[in-house]
């Protein structure tokens, strides 16, 4: 199993450009999450999904959109990138409440380092 | 919403000594508290977790304690080794409510083990 994968690994954008980050998991997880990690700020939740076709806002959703058309994929979009969106983006997934105690562990992808100039 | 504070932000200890990282949380409904370790340039990985019905949990050299009354929990690493050098994140989550499994993370502690 590949676990949680993210593409691309690195990206440089100019202000105003758009892009989509792809997260894929092969563990049949119900829940998927997008976080951003900035120095001294920890991991902050952008958006999450509790199942195919569902999405919900996290702590810092402004400037981002997401879609979960397939259970195994969770896409994060930036419509008009801003320098404040320069960050490392992590995707994570977990089984979800229906699986009981094992639902809690979140498995993270390798991250995408995004720079907006 | 939940607010998690983590201290210290940096910690240096001699190899073989113990390290303690502390977190406090604000939501009394939180009942799940994981700790993640992130090595330089790598992804965060779960190292231990505790639920509110347990006061302490150990796994070899690491242990976590929870004080629900005071709303704080701590990570203890004994007999530290160079490979323990990393950033450690605590997190908290309210009681599972089918769709509410959002973790709130602390801001991280950079642990450096001095050989």
């Amino acid at each position: 199993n590949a676990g949680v994968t993210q593409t691309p690994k690195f990206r440089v954008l100019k202000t105003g450009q758009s892009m989509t980050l792809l997260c894929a998991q092969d563990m049949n997880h119900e829940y998927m999450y997008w976080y951003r990690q900035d120095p001294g700020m920890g991991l902050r939740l952008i958006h999450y999904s509790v199942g195919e076709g569902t999405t919900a806002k996290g702590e810092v959703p402004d400037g981002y959109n997401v879609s979960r058309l397939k259970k195994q994929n969770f896409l994060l979009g930036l419509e008009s990138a801003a320098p404040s969106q320069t960050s490392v983006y992590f995707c994570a997934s977990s089984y979800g409440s229906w699986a009981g105690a094992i639902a809690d562990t979140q498995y993270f992808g390798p991250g995408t380092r995004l720079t907006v100039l | 919403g939940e607010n998690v504070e983590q201290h210290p932000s940096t910690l240096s200890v001699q190899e073989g000594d113990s390290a303690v990282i502390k977190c406090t949380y604000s939501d009394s409904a939180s009942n799940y508290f994981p700790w993640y370790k992130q090595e330089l340039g790598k992804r965060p990985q779960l190292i231990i977790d505790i639920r509110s019905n347990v006061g302490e949990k150990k796994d070899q050299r690491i242990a976590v304690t929870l004080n629900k009354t005071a709303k704080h929990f701590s990570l203890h690493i004994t007999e530290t080794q160079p490979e323990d050098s990393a950033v450690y994140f605590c997190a908290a989550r309210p009681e599972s409510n089918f769709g509410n499994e959002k973790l709130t993370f602390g801001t991280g502690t950079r642990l450096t083990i001095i050989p």
Side-chain angles (χ1 to χ4, degrees), chain A residues 4 31 33 35 37 40-43 45 48 50 57 90 96-98 101 104-106 108-110, chain B residues 32 36 38 41-44 46 49 51 89 93 96-103 105-108:
Chain A
V4 182
Y31 293 8
Y33 312 83
Y35 294 92
Q37 184 175 36
M41 303 288 284
L43 292 154
L45 183 65
Y48 65 104
V50 299
K57 294 180 180 179
F90 284 100
S97 294
W98 66 274
D104 292 321
T105 303
Q106 290 190 16
F108 283 81
Chain B
Y32 173 64
Y36 283 79
Q38 185 179 28
K42 301 287 183 62
R43 70 192 77 189
L46 179 73
D49 57 15
R51 287 175 172 76
F89 292 97
R93 192 205 71 196
S96 176
N97 188 26
F98 286 86
N100 192 33
E101 285 79 358
K102 296 180 293 180
L103 288 175
F105 284 85
T107 50

Side-chain angles (χ1 to χ4, degrees), chain B residues 7-22:
Chain B
H7 300 282
S9 57
T10 60
L11 178 62
S12 295
V13 301
Q14 289 291 140
E15 182 178 352
D17 287 350
S18 296
V20 180
I21 302 169
K22 299 180 180 180

Side-chain angles (χ1 to χ4, degrees), chain A residues 52-73:
Chain A
E52 182 178 316
T54 75
T55 62
K57 294 180 180 179
E59 181 186 356
V60 288
D62 294 343
Y64 305 95
N65 57 76
V66 288
S67 64
R68 182 102 180 266
L69 299 180
K70 292 183 179 180
K71 183 177 182 178
Q72 63 269 33
N73 296 338

Side-chain angles (χ1 to χ4, degrees), chain B residues 14-49:
Chain B
Q14 289 291 140
E15 182 178 352
D17 287 350
S18 296
V20 180
I21 302 169
K22 299 180 180 180
C23 289
T24 60
Y25 61 98
S26 61
D27 190 346
S28 57
S30 287
N31 71 341
Y32 173 64
F33 308 92
W35 286 87
Y36 283 79
K37 175 183 180 181
Q38 185 179 28
E39 296 177 356
L40 189 62
K42 301 287 183 62
R43 70 192 77 189
Q45 291 190 300
L46 179 73
I47 55 171
I48 195 168
D49 57 15

Side-chain angles (χ1 to χ4, degrees), chain A:
Chain A
N1 287 354
V4 182
T5 58
Q6 293 181 232
T7 52
K9 289 184 170 56
F10 304 93
R11 186 72 186 268
V12 178
L13 290 178
K14 294 182 179 179
T15 297
Q17 288 185 318
S18 63
M19 78 163 295
T20 300
L21 283 67
L22 171 63
C23 176
Q25 53 93 7
D26 61 2
M27 296 178 283
N28 201 31
H29 284 172
E30 288 292 335
Y31 293 8
M32 297 187 75
Y33 312 83
W34 276 107
Y35 294 92
R36 60 178 289 173
Q37 184 175 36
D38 303 292
M41 303 288 284
L43 292 154
R44 293 183 293 169
L45 183 65
I46 304 171
H47 286 282
Y48 65 104
S49 168
V50 299
E52 182 178 316
T54 75
T55 62
K57 294 180 180 179
E59 181 186 356
V60 288
D62 294 343
Y64 305 95
N65 57 76
V66 288
S67 64
R68 182 102 180 266
L69 299 180
K70 292 183 179 180
K71 183 177 182 178
Q72 63 269 33
N73 296 338
F74 195 28
L75 279 64
L76 178 70
L78 286 73
E79 288 188 348
S80 180
S84 60
Q85 294 177 304
T86 294
S87 187
V88 179
Y89 291 85
F90 284 100
C91 175
S93 69
S94 65
Y95 279 105
S97 294
W98 66 274
I102 65 169
D104 292 321
T105 303
Q106 290 190 16
Y107 296 84
F108 283 81
T112 295
R113 184 173 295 277
L114 175 65
T115 301
V116 183
L117 302 176

